[in-house]
Amino acid sequence: MSTVNILPIIILILQLAGISHVWYSYLYKDGQIPQSFIELNILAIFSIGVLALFRFRYYKPGKKRGLWLFPVSISFLIILTLLISYIIMGIEKYR
């Protein structure tokens, strides 16, 4: 396997580990600061980096993307989840 095939697998494993840690801290940890929300923000910043890496380094029109479909789609879903949570928080604040 070349690095082009290994890199999306490594990124996918890191993303799944980050999502599971955010979910664990959401369910089982207490505290004054919403730790899981801060971790979700950090995970979204990592996801923006993954999307930028894919776009500028590995995306070529007309070429199959292969394994990059999974990390890119998870990155998109993480960012979408964060945006939805910000919208819900904004609606609840001004209600």
Side-chain angles (χ1 to χ4, degrees):
M1 293 179 92
S2 65
T3 57
V4 175
N5 291 333
I6 291 176
L7 189 61
I9 294 171
I10 292 172
I11 290 173
L12 182 65
I13 291 170
L14 288 175
Q15 284 177 332
L16 293 177
I19 290 170
S20 63
H21 187 269
V22 168
W23 186 256
Y24 175 79
S25 57
Y26 175 73
L27 290 179
Y28 299 113
K29 291 188 178 179
D30 294 333
Q32 300 287 64
I33 300 172
Q35 180 181 357
S36 60
F37 187 70
I38 294 170
E39 289 175 356
L40 184 63
N41 282 309
I42 293 169
L43 192 59
I45 291 171
F46 176 73
S47 296
I48 290 171
V50 167
L51 289 175
L53 174 74
F54 171 73
R55 172 63 181 103
F56 294 117
R57 180 88 186 216
Y58 294 104
Y59 178 73
K60 296 189 179 33
K63 184 179 175 187
K64 288 187 177 180
R65 293 180 254 316
L67 292 175
W68 278 101
L69 179 67
F70 298 116
V72 168
S73 60
I74 289 177
S75 296
F76 179 73
L77 290 175
I78 289 170
I79 294 169
L80 186 67
T81 303
L82 185 68
L83 288 175
I84 289 171
S85 64
Y86 272 126
I87 290 170
I88 291 172
M89 285 175 20
I91 290 172
E92 290 295 321
K93 181 178 180 182
Y94 294 112
R95 185 176 274 190

